[in-house]
Amino acid sequence: MARVKVIGVAGYSGSELARLLIQHPNVESILLIDRRAEEPTPIWKYRANLRGTTDQMVVGKDDGSKADAVFFATPDGVTMNHAKEHLDTGAKVIDFSGDTRLRSAEIHQKWYGIEHASPNLLQEAVYGLPELHREELRKANVIANPGCYPTATILGFAPMVKKGWIDTSFLVADVKSGVSGAGKHLNTRMHFAECEANFNAYKVVGHKHTPEIEQELSLLAGEDLTVNFIPHLLPVTRGILATLYSTLTEDLSIDQIQAEYESFYESHPFVRVLPQGEEACLKAVQGSNFLDISVHVDSRNSRLIVTVTEDNLVKGASGQAVQNMNLALGFEETAGLMQPGLWL
Amino acid sequence: MARVKVIGVAGYSGSELARLLIQHPNVESILLIDRRAEEPTPIWKYRANLRGTTDQMVVGKDDGSKADAVFFATPDGVTMNHAKEHLDTGAKVIDFSGDTRLRSAEIHQKWYGIEHASPNLLQEAVYGLPELHREELRKANVIANPGCYPTATILGFAPMVKKGWIDTSFLVADVKSGVSGAGKHLNTRMHFAECEANFNAYKVVGHKHTPEIEQELSLLAGEDLTVNFIPHLLPVTRGILATLYSTLTEDLSIDQIQAEYESFYESHPFVRVLPQGEEACLKAVQGSNFLDISVHVDSRNSRLIVTVTEDNLVKGASGQAVQNMNLALGFEETAGLMQPGLWL
Amino acid sequence: MARVKVIGVAGYSGSELARLLIQHPNVESILLIDRRAEEPTPIWKYRANLRGTTDQMVVGKDDGSKADAVFFATPDGVTMNHAKEHLDTGAKVIDFSGDTRLRSAEIHQKWYGIEHASPNLLQEAVYGLPELHREELRKANVIANPGCYPTATILGFAPMVKKGWIDTSFLVADVKSGVSGAGKHLNTRMHFAECEANFNAYKVVGHKHTPEIEQELSLLAGEDLTVNFIPHLLPVTRGILATLYSTLTEDLSIDQIQAEYESFYESHPFVRVLPQGEEACLKAVQGSNFLDISVHVDSRNSRLIVTVTEDNLVKGASGQAVQNMNLALGFEETAGLMQPGLWL
Amino acid sequence: MARVKVIGVAGYSGSELARLLIQHPNVESILLIDRRAEEPTPIWKYRANLRGTTDQMVVGKDDGSKADAVFFATPDGVTMNHAKEHLDTGAKVIDFSGDTRLRSAEIHQKWYGIEHASPNLLQEAVYGLPELHREELRKANVIANPGCYPTATILGFAPMVKKGWIDTSFLVADVKSGVSGAGKHLNTRMHFAECEANFNAYKVVGHKHTPEIEQELSLLAGEDLTVNFIPHLLPVTRGILATLYSTLTEDLSIDQIQAEYESFYESHPFVRVLPQGEEACLKAVQGSNFLDISVHVDSRNSRLIVTVTEDNLVKGASGQAVQNMNLALGFEETAGLMQPGLWL
């Protein structure tokens, strides 16, 4: 049984994490922390649906108690300055921010625009995609929970890049995300009246999730590669759909490719490679930790087209963090994560 | 541990019921039946989110096995003809349709427009609102699972009608429902392009949920009363909000009324009477079996205004059916029903 | 041909007004003003759809030029301090705020919580509902453009209150509004992720639109009356639906009532009294200056139920302001206002 | 002044066309036809927003009167059998279906799966994209109104393909459409409860709009090319956003590319090439005939990324048809088409 802390619980991914931890069978105590809580406040003040299901309070400051795992559901720049104090107590640190995702302090500085305060964290951290790094995660002390966009993009390309079956000089990821991915922060673009029935691309070049996608796929390819990652904002609260494009380098049938995806993810309980003819869609994953993949080939020009869906707040953030905690603390990988969502 | 059957599982409330039963700790076997299934079909063909979480199949016909409870998630007219064959085996019958809700065959015929095939069912059935009939439900063989609109309307008025504190000659229920309440049936009004950003009242006079509202409130009042129940269609998938209006018959403070609601629902785990100043909203109940109530008084003219929210597919249908099954089969009332929904 | 000024054009009703004025056949020049414009800015920076259709700029300050009509699309508290400077030049003032709607400074102070800076404005202003005050509006210098909620509520009750056919001791207005009615102001409640698929009542007692509803209906009734006006927030950008409840005081048929509504609005081009059996809905009015009314009676208890729909930004704000300008400046009442909206 | 007929006016693009023609300054008479109209029916029975703005009726059959232009807003297979009877009277035929878009009967048969009944129509027809074929359209008798997806895709790629600046062996069009593009036809996928908050790709390989995209871009390129066109269904009623990908074949700056797009569309009133840093979005085009383009380059790998938005019912269907009629009948190209939409 584990004692855990969540720092930054009032945000969207923080409170989603609280929802999952409260129902987790291996978690015995939870300390919910957010500096926005001026006094101890029931968690259901931030998520009214939790009223009547839990007595958990949110406090403004850490009480210094010992924990087995500490989640940083905080903006960029916090973990790099505060991870150490928790690591020193023996806690595992699971970081939701960009502070630990890149292995190179130089690349970090280039994309995030600030100097890294603890470059050694970058060396110590394991990138928290269990489907690629399961064994390392079992032993990790610092886990870099991936961005929501990279989770879908990397897992969609991974089997082909690893196998060397696609042209890594043309990797395009056209990715569409629900609004909760941008967090609780207020701006005009998130006003219901501006967002409803709207749709657009943004940060078409230079989104800061790009380097972690490139880092992980380069690792799989065994060579440096670039990815064109183009995010779009859907008028939907939850969910990401990535449509991925590349070209087959060999004369491969759709059946061979389908088989390769199925084999690659065979031992991974949260990845569902859909049968030919079924399309990944948001409703099938909203509220759950599943990630769905549909594979297609246009044989006229050997184009590979892969669609991937996930819930950006679950497999794209808090569910994946729990999956990482399960590995790091020696629990069942699926513990507390098999709820299927609602569909309607 | 119970063996259960669901008849009509391919519809929205039927498949929602499947979702809840699959996760229920006291259910050992489930037979999912729908005549739309021409051959045995995985339940996730109807709700893709369930893929990977269950092997349950949907079959076209009952296999005649013995069950402790049989759910009729069927249109009006089915239960009245088929309940008996299940009751004869000793199964409890829980009916989602209008076939068992009214105690008078005459009133049934007036509102439903057809003659009742088994009037004795109307006598045997217990109206499945646990907050009003908990003890009877523990012994019931036939349970009339209430309509989604009546659940919110009756529970919102009940404490005041019972106490005699409101003028029963003016009871107005302005109720707004999400689209899933109308079921999976296709018509132009449910086409996304017609429904999105739209809103309207419908069946302003004469909706068939009216008589069960009047029956239950008359029972509480000890006299016959009428209710103006006006349904509206919200551009939302899940959720009902009822705004209820009447006039206080005595000079009562809002604190007295609030206290009465809290006292009335004190022992009922799924009704949350919100503190003064907090407004019931759909997000707080979507995906859960909770029903929220907010109470207000306009002291200028002694008007009582009560808002009530529920998820029409859960507390308004399938969750309530499970709650009724729990009572009828002697399980904990809350078994399998404490999931809090998602909020976002 | 008219020269007009709009103060506060960057807000939702201000920029909607700009859209209408730009297409208006009797408007020769428009000065768009908003203090949020730090430098002259094309209007399409605030409404990107106008790009390519107009060269109109928004300036931060009035240039002192002479205008025939000045629109205050400003928050409460501005018009009371600045109307005079425009009235003195001979301009008609059309006020979108609460500063001029009430005839009593005392009632204003009670509901708005501040002392009125120019009580004489309250005496001079004409309440800008052309269907009730058309002749006065032709001569008015100060026009109090009604609130969006009062427009629907007053016009829905007016024929019956005037005729004395309903019990004015029980007037309930359950009104549901799209989000744009709350303006462009940012708060968590308007965040897409909080608002989408949500629905709730708010300010159940004491909304500041109440006194203008009561003032106008009392005038029609010839006696003081109170109204229970309960606003709700729809997950929709544009549109209001009011469901109005009262009791018939005489034994009247639905045909008599329908005929009375049709007769009352016969000469009013923007009010469409729908035939029996057709329900007012948002889509039929979004984007247009029309207001639709459906009338119903529950003969079991003599309840009158009226539904009213309008576009809160057009008939509920900017379209009505143009209609008022048309009257005050001697143009056709319908000039520039006959666009039918989009439906889909 | 023109006399026009619309065949198939009860569908979404047909009734959108009616809305535009009713307001058109050069149209003197309109005959609205739909075989679904069993008796003469006001057009506002199909689009309730038009009530009070027009007396136009829909009739079940053509009355044989003479017309200057006949619009076929009909499914595939109608125009090929009925165009001739109208052409013989001297009318211009404007076809919304796939019957006239392709120049090769063989390619038509391959993608549409049926033999073409009038192959000579394919020779006579001009592809109705005024930005590419304006002069031919002025003289055309048969105009193939483009598909909604091809309009955005072709116009987004056209300047670069014509100039030879992109690698035509890798043309990817990731396109997302609102639901109205699929028409009024009922199926489960369009049920509000299934569609709301959902998103998915469909017909990932083999959508029948592919050959017209390839035909027009091949014509511009001067060589046969293939395009990977992948449609997605947005939970939005109106609007298309295309994200287009290719690779620059020369070392070109973003400024050179931006300049080329601006120059290419300089004389075309409905195409707005947005300044660097502004993103095309649906709200800016919904309800209008404008098409917006944003251009980007990722200089790391010379990738060109172009986003294009349009209203699928206007520039993607009925507005474009009116633009084509304007050209063919010698009116101003913009007549009746400069309405800016609503934004909110």
Side-chain angles (χ1 to χ4, degrees), chain B residues 161-290:
Chain B
V161 169
K162 176 119 190 271
K163 200 79 181 178
W165 282 0
I166 53 174
D167 176 1
T168 53
S169 75
F170 206 134
L171 300 172
V172 166
D174 186 290
V175 195
K176 304 87 175 174
S177 174
V179 172
S180 61
K184 210 171 177 171
H185 176 71
L186 293 175
N187 69 47
T188 304
R189 188 62 191 82
M190 301 303 149
H191 192 298
F192 181 86
E194 309 275 339
C195 199
E196 181 254 337
N198 207 354
F199 183 63
N200 58 276
Y202 69 98
K203 288 189 193 154
V204 171
V205 176
H207 190 287
K208 68 187 180 186
H209 281 176
T210 308
E212 63 184 282
I213 297 171
E214 293 179 350
Q215 167 182 287
E216 292 297 309
L217 292 179
S218 292
L219 216 63
L220 283 168
E223 53 166 356
D224 281 355
L225 51 76
T226 57
V227 175
N228 297 105
F229 155 61
I230 284 80
H232 299 70
L233 189 63
L234 280 171
V236 158
T237 296
R238 276 176 186 255
I240 279 180
L241 185 145
T243 314
L244 309 177
Y245 299 93
S246 189
T247 311
L248 297 175
T249 51
E250 298 179 43
D251 187 25
L252 294 156
S253 72
I254 178 68
D255 290 344
Q256 287 172 290
I257 290 161
Q258 174 83 21
E260 184 55 30
Y261 272 87
E262 291 177 1
S263 156
F264 192 94
Y265 288 116
E266 200 166 24
S267 72
H268 293 287
F270 294 115
V271 177
R272 302 185 292 204
V273 178
L274 303 188
Q276 287 300 308
E278 296 197 28
E279 280 303 329
C281 73
L282 296 191
K283 275 198 179 288
V285 295
Q286 283 160 343
S288 88
N289 200 49
F290 288 101

Side-chain angles (χ1 to χ4, degrees), chain C residues 179-241:
Chain C
V179 172
S180 61
K184 211 170 177 171
H185 177 70
L186 294 175
N187 69 47
T188 303
R189 188 62 190 82
M190 302 302 149
H191 193 297
F192 181 86
E194 309 274 340
C195 200
E196 181 255 335
N198 206 353
F199 183 63
N200 59 276
Y202 68 98
K203 287 189 193 154
V204 170
V205 176
H207 190 286
K208 69 188 179 184
H209 281 177
T210 308
E212 64 184 283
I213 296 170
E214 294 178 348
Q215 167 183 286
E216 292 296 309
L217 291 179
S218 293
L219 215 63
L220 283 168
E223 55 165 357
D224 281 355
L225 52 76
T226 56
V227 176
N228 297 105
F229 157 59
I230 284 78
H232 300 70
L233 189 64
L234 281 171
V236 159
T237 297
R238 277 176 185 254
I240 279 181
L241 185 145

Side-chain angles (χ1 to χ4, degrees), chain A residues 51-333:
Chain A
R51 189 197 297 263
T53 69
T54 177
D55 293 328
Q56 284 284 338
M57 304 296 281
V58 179
V59 296
K61 286 193 168 181
D62 195 342
D63 63 3
S65 61
K66 199 160 156 42
D68 302 294
V70 176
F71 297 89
F72 280 82
T74 45
D76 297 334
V78 176
T79 311
M80 62 169 75
N81 288 303
H82 295 283
K84 189 167 183 304
E85 58 206 65
H86 297 280
L87 290 169
D88 288 349
T89 70
K92 309 281 188 178
V93 163
I94 301 173
D95 177 25
F96 283 55
S97 82
D99 285 14
T100 53
R101 293 181 189 155
L102 303 177
R103 296 301 142 256
S104 152
E106 193 186 348
I107 293 177
H108 176 273
Q109 183 161 355
K110 182 180 157 204
W111 289 84
Y112 284 83
I114 54 164
E115 197 179 355
H116 203 288
S118 309
N120 59 314
L121 266 184
L122 298 179
Q123 298 320 308
E124 195 174 353
V126 175
Y127 192 74
L129 255 187
E131 290 77 12
L132 298 185
H133 301 290
R134 186 153 52 188
E135 295 315 313
E136 298 156 78
L137 288 163
R138 294 195 204 275
K139 293 167 289 186
N141 291 316
V142 181
I143 296 174
N145 210 53
C148 50
Y149 285 121
T151 296
T153 305
I154 296 165
L155 294 183
F157 274 133
M160 294 296 101
V161 169
K162 176 118 190 272
K163 201 78 182 178
W165 282 0
I166 54 175
D167 176 1
T168 54
S169 75
F170 206 134
L171 300 172
V172 165
D174 186 291
V175 195
K176 305 86 174 172
S177 174
V179 172
S180 62
K184 210 171 177 172
H185 177 70
L186 294 175
N187 68 47
T188 303
R189 189 59 190 85
M190 302 301 149
H191 192 298
F192 181 86
E194 309 276 338
C195 199
E196 181 255 336
N198 207 353
F199 183 62
N200 60 276
Y202 68 99
K203 288 189 193 154
V204 171
V205 176
H207 190 287
K208 68 187 180 186
H209 281 177
T210 307
E212 64 184 281
I213 297 170
E214 294 178 349
Q215 167 183 285
E216 293 297 310
L217 292 179
S218 293
L219 216 61
L220 283 168
E223 54 165 355
D224 281 355
L225 51 77
T226 57
V227 175
N228 297 105
F229 156 60
I230 284 80
H232 300 69
L233 190 62
L234 281 172
V236 159
T237 296
R238 276 177 186 254
I240 279 181
L241 185 145
T243 314
L244 308 177
Y245 299 93
S246 189
T247 311
L248 297 174
T249 51
E250 299 180 42
D251 187 25
L252 294 156
S253 72
I254 178 66
D255 290 343
Q256 287 172 290
I257 290 162
Q258 175 83 21
E260 184 56 30
Y261 273 86
E262 290 177 2
S263 157
F264 191 94
Y265 288 116
E266 199 166 25
S267 72
H268 293 286
F270 294 114
V271 178
R272 301 185 292 205
V273 178
L274 303 188
Q276 287 300 308
E278 297 197 28
E279 279 303 329
C281 72
L282 295 192
K283 275 198 180 289
V285 295
Q286 284 160 342
S288 88
N289 200 48
F290 288 100
L291 177 145
D292 285 356
I293 297 180
S294 296
V295 182
H296 317 79
V297 172
D298 189 338
S299 58
R300 301 183 312 147
N301 52 18
S302 298
R303 210 71 72 219
L304 175 78
I305 304 129
V306 179
T307 55
V308 185
T309 55
E310 63 173 27
D311 185 320
N312 58 297
L313 289 175
V314 190
K315 183 60 178 168
S318 307
Q320 185 138 275
V322 171
Q323 191 180 351
N324 283 322
M325 177 195 78
N326 287 343
L327 291 171
L329 298 184
F331 304 143
E332 274 293 308
E333 187 171 349

